[in-house]
Amino acid sequence: MRIQKLNWPIWVSLLLSVFALMSYPFVFIRWPITRDFPWANLLLFAIAAVLLVVGVRRAFAGDRPRRSKIAGAIGATLSVLILALFIFSVFIAARWMPAAVGAPKVGQKAPEFSLSDTNGKPLALSELLSSPINGKAPKGVVLVFYRGYW
């Protein structure tokens, strides 16, 4: 009886695909170079795709048993579905965020608003512009807007 070797490229491809999917929101989003375009994740998916092709060719070789072909097909399908989920969520669903039509543009004067400070006390924009800072009148207020889908 001949013992078949494990088709490791399929399973490494699947693990690498799962890592590439899960690493985007937890690892690579921290730095702007990998947040603005997920090139690191796409590189991991490319390596997984090469291993996937090698594993599928190995699984469907003539001397492999039927269980190897079934396991190879399942592993390949899962890897491709994970890649499709990543592409859908990063490149398609992320663009579905509604446009901020009423948001002020760069350089435009912001409308009057009131927000709670760190102590829970309401603070209006007019108060920030009128209250002195270190004995001097403020020259302006800097407003920072964060993207909503981070």
Side-chain angles (χ1 to χ4, degrees), residues 1-119:
M1 182 166 111
R2 189 172 149 219
I3 297 176
Q4 293 285 329
K5 292 183 180 179
L6 179 66
N7 191 357
W8 64 269
I10 287 280
W11 305 114
V12 171
S13 170
L14 181 60
L15 290 175
L16 197 58
S17 295
V18 169
F19 176 73
L21 176 69
M22 300 307 288
S23 66
Y24 183 67
F26 297 113
V27 177
F28 293 120
I29 204 163
R30 296 177 191 219
W31 303 283
I33 194 167
T34 55
R35 176 181 53 231
D36 295 339
F37 187 78
W39 60 268
N41 297 87
L42 293 176
L43 180 65
L44 289 172
F45 277 118
I47 294 168
V50 169
L51 288 171
L52 183 67
V53 168
V54 170
V56 167
R57 290 188 68 193
R58 187 173 176 182
F60 285 92
D63 61 338
R64 301 292 286 194
R66 179 176 286 195
R67 69 178 180 271
S68 173
K69 294 175 184 177
I70 292 171
I74 290 171
T77 303
L78 290 175
S79 293
V80 170
L81 287 175
I82 290 170
L83 172 62
L85 175 67
F86 180 78
I87 289 174
F88 177 77
S89 63
V90 171
F91 293 110
I92 297 170
R95 305 290 184 240
W96 291 349
M97 295 294 292
V101 179
K105 308 293 184 243
V106 175
Q108 181 182 357
K109 187 174 179 178
E112 182 61 31
F113 63 89
S114 177
L115 296 172
S116 298
D117 64 3
T118 56
N119 298 323

